Amino acid sequence: MNFRFDTKGYRSLLLGCVASLACVTSGWAADRLPPGQAAQAPAVFMPQPMPDRPTAFRSAAGIPGRAFWQNRADYSIHATIQPDTKSLSGQETITYTNNSSDALDVIWLNLEQNEYKPDSRSQYASERFSTPRTDGVQIEKVIVEYKGVKKEITPIISDTRMQLRLPATLRGKGGKLRIHVTWHYVIPGPWGGRTSVTPSKNGDIYEIAQWYPRMAVYDDIRGWDTAPYLTQEFYLEYGNIDYRVTVPWNYTVVGSGTLLNPGAVLTATERQRLSQAAHSDTRVLIRTAQDVTDPTSHRHDHGDMTWHFRMENTRDVAFAASPAFVWDAARMNLPDHGVSKGPHLAMSVYPTEGIGPDGWDRSTEYVKHAIEYFSEQWYPYPWQNAINLGGHGAGMEYPGIVFDGMKDHGPQLFWITTHELGHGWFPMIVGSNERRNAFMDEGFNTFIDAYASDHFNHGEFAPKKDNEFAPLTGIPADDIVPLLRDKDAPPLMVPSDLVQERYRHPVTYFKGAYGLKLLREQIVGPERFDRAFRRYIDVWAYHHPTPSDFFRFMSSETGEDLSWFWRGWYFENRAPDYACTGIHATSDGYRISVQNKGSLPIPVTMLLTYADGSTTRQTIPTETWYQHTAIDLPIKTQGSLRTVTLDPDHAIPDIDRSNNTLHTP
């Protein structure tokens, strides 16, 4: 094939590109042309650059590239709780593997307990000056072990980060070292920013999280990702975590992973009840309300006991301990592939204050449903147990265990349980960077939660309607409109720490979830979306995808150029607005005039209602608006048309519905 360079054509192309760029820089100018006037290209359709370019590590298809690597952190930890001082002390050994090609001369760890120091950055950034204050974590000793040589070093602590300057450079491509850390801290009181000690009628409840020095992530995006902890969430490496917790004899401990020494800490009765629960689809009480006040219900009657847990392929662990726990469990029926060896148990632990038919009596039913449903719909749950804890009510997730409120009940208990457990998939399995991209955590999870509400018990708690999703009416297309009209609302791509608290749920949770719902139901369809989303989870399980990876993956896997949607819904705050402007009789039917007055051209359904009551539907695709802002649609029919309605089901967030319906003259 021969090509000829046409200077006249090139000049026209160049002028077109300049005009298009002007559209981009002028916001929505190209979207605001007079009705019917053609545009060179509305700004929303311009190519949307991704924050990160494709590399050998991350491909243009949004999957790990041929040179992809990820570092690893394995832990052995022993912690002790001292109830008299409400403190925790611990020793840990971290085995850190540097799989990058870079040699490392320093190591960074996270010390989130320093959030509670009076001068912490989080105290100022979040304006939570009433948060319980402590002296933070006290690092007693740090020893680095490399190539058989141990050396004690002095850490450099900056707010919630700790830097270790290595005595010898850690080689890349598989170099390993061990870090031995000894520490202690005072546990903050009720709330405590997701980790706390909370009083109950029968004793204190310890909810222990962010409790050990944890490796920061070194990745191909930023090198060491050392964003300080400003009360948002986390970004952690994967590995195996073996941990022991020593508590008084009358405490029950539940935690992430599998209990390895049940014979040493549980009575024969408790073990028999657990065995019964492993074969029951309804809850079995492991510790009853009567057991809580009966000293003989424990394995020992004096001294301390050490509970031993292990969790594999995880980014974190958390646990809870108390003398006040009622404990029940039931089996989870999980797929045969991709899960740990059984039995798999859904569990709930809570004080007697939570007991009730509308309360925690149903918690394990909710746990069981959530894990089974998400496993079947998206990706198999990989761990042995899933635990719902009724404590202060932090509403916080950790691998295998979630912290909810002892007084939660009714729909709220179902929604919060399902939401927190849904985090087992995002970000516990798919390890996105919560500290920077909250929508890949809260938004993705709220998306799968909404469908779980529809699925549970024939829609008993449907639709999802809480502070996370469609809070006013349960109809997201209507409830999102005030946010889309709010000129001060931040886009989803704004970094997590820059989102004001008043926008956190409306933007990060609600808009983040509804965007995926629109993509699934209105833009690409459930069949293509579900297959792509499942493969996204599978490809990035136990890895660290970025927003660029997600956007590229979904566009590639669904076969759609979705750059207009990424731009409009994620990088900006655009919204659809359609109007039916005319119905004209023709020789063989009608001509329907439709105007695109908005800036986000989501496909829209047009409902035609005839005089005899019959109806037909037609979808107007996004491509309609590539070069026009108004169209005339020919409708061939022998019937008498009565009404035309755009988006009759309120499936898209049309911000002005006053002109969506038109009647024939």
Side-chain angles (χ1 to χ4, degrees), residues 371-652:
I371 301 299
E372 291 177 351
Y373 173 72
F374 294 142
S375 294
E376 181 67 28
Q377 178 67 14
W378 302 116
Y379 185 89
Y381 184 74
W383 301 297
Q384 186 170 346
N385 302 318
I387 303 165
N388 194 17
L389 167 71
H392 176 76
M396 186 58 193
E397 70 281 356
Y398 300 94
I401 187 170
V402 299
F403 295 172
D404 291 324
M406 66 177 83
K407 296 181 180 179
D408 291 342
H409 63 280
Q412 179 60 33
L413 179 58
F414 171 83
W415 286 326
I416 194 69
T417 298
T418 303
H419 177 83
E420 302 309 336
L421 289 168
H423 278 299
W425 283 259
F426 307 101
M428 307 310 168
I429 293 173
V430 181
S432 50
N433 189 341
E434 300 174 273
R435 289 217 177 150
R436 298 184 185 275
N437 310 120
F439 77 90
M440 296 183 72
D441 161 38
E442 300 295 356
F444 285 21
N445 178 33
T446 304
F447 163 72
I448 65 175
D449 297 343
Y451 290 106
S453 292
D454 296 338
H455 184 269
F456 178 75
N457 198 25
H458 308 289
E460 179 181 355
F461 298 118
K464 180 175 171 66
K465 185 175 67 171
D466 57 9
N467 65 342
E468 298 168 354
F469 190 81
L472 301 177
T473 67
I475 303 172
D478 293 344
D479 289 359
I480 200 77
V481 168
L483 180 70
L484 298 179
R485 288 182 171 276
D486 185 347
K487 62 181 178 60
D488 295 323
L492 282 164
M493 288 295 290
V494 166
S496 306
D497 287 325
L498 301 184
V499 178
Q500 295 177 340
E501 182 63 25
R502 68 190 177 107
Y503 286 118
R504 192 166 62 87
H505 280 94
V507 173
T508 303
Y509 293 68
F510 183 13
K511 189 181 181 189
Y514 187 36
L516 295 184
K517 199 172 178 71
L518 286 169
L519 193 62
R520 180 180 189 266
E521 297 178 2
Q522 307 304 319
I523 299 173
V524 300
E527 183 178 4
R528 280 191 293 160
F529 179 93
D530 290 356
R531 183 185 181 280
F533 201 56
R534 288 173 188 137
R535 185 162 184 262
Y536 169 77
I537 299 172
D538 184 61
V539 164
W540 286 103
Y542 316 110
H543 297 314
H544 299 310
T546 67
S548 299
D549 295 322
F550 175 71
F551 296 146
R552 288 192 177 106
F553 184 92
M554 293 303 290
S555 292
S556 177
E557 196 73 10
T558 62
E560 295 286 345
D561 180 0
L562 297 169
S563 58
W564 63 273
F565 186 64
W566 307 139
R567 177 193 296 278
W569 195 260
Y570 290 84
F571 290 85
E572 301 175 11
N573 284 326
R574 294 170 174 260
D577 181 13
Y578 294 107
C580 184
T581 57
I583 303 174
H584 312 282
T586 64
S587 59
D588 57 356
Y590 294 87
R591 179 167 47 85
I592 311 299
S593 298
V594 178
Q595 183 180 353
N596 175 15
K597 302 175 67 176
S599 54
L600 187 65
I602 297 172
V604 61
T605 296
M606 181 173 67
L607 175 69
L608 307 174
T609 303
Y610 298 91
D612 62 1
S614 63
T615 61
T616 59
R617 288 174 177 246
Q618 184 170 334
T619 298
I620 304 174
T622 295
E623 289 80 0
T624 304
W625 315 109
Y626 274 9
Q627 299 183 34
H628 305 89
T629 58
I631 59 168
D632 289 335
L633 296 174
I635 304 297
K636 293 185 177 181
T637 178
Q638 298 299 316
S640 178
L641 185 63
R642 177 184 296 167
T643 305
V644 176
T645 301
L646 298 173
D647 189 30
D649 306 315
H650 289 218
I652 67 172

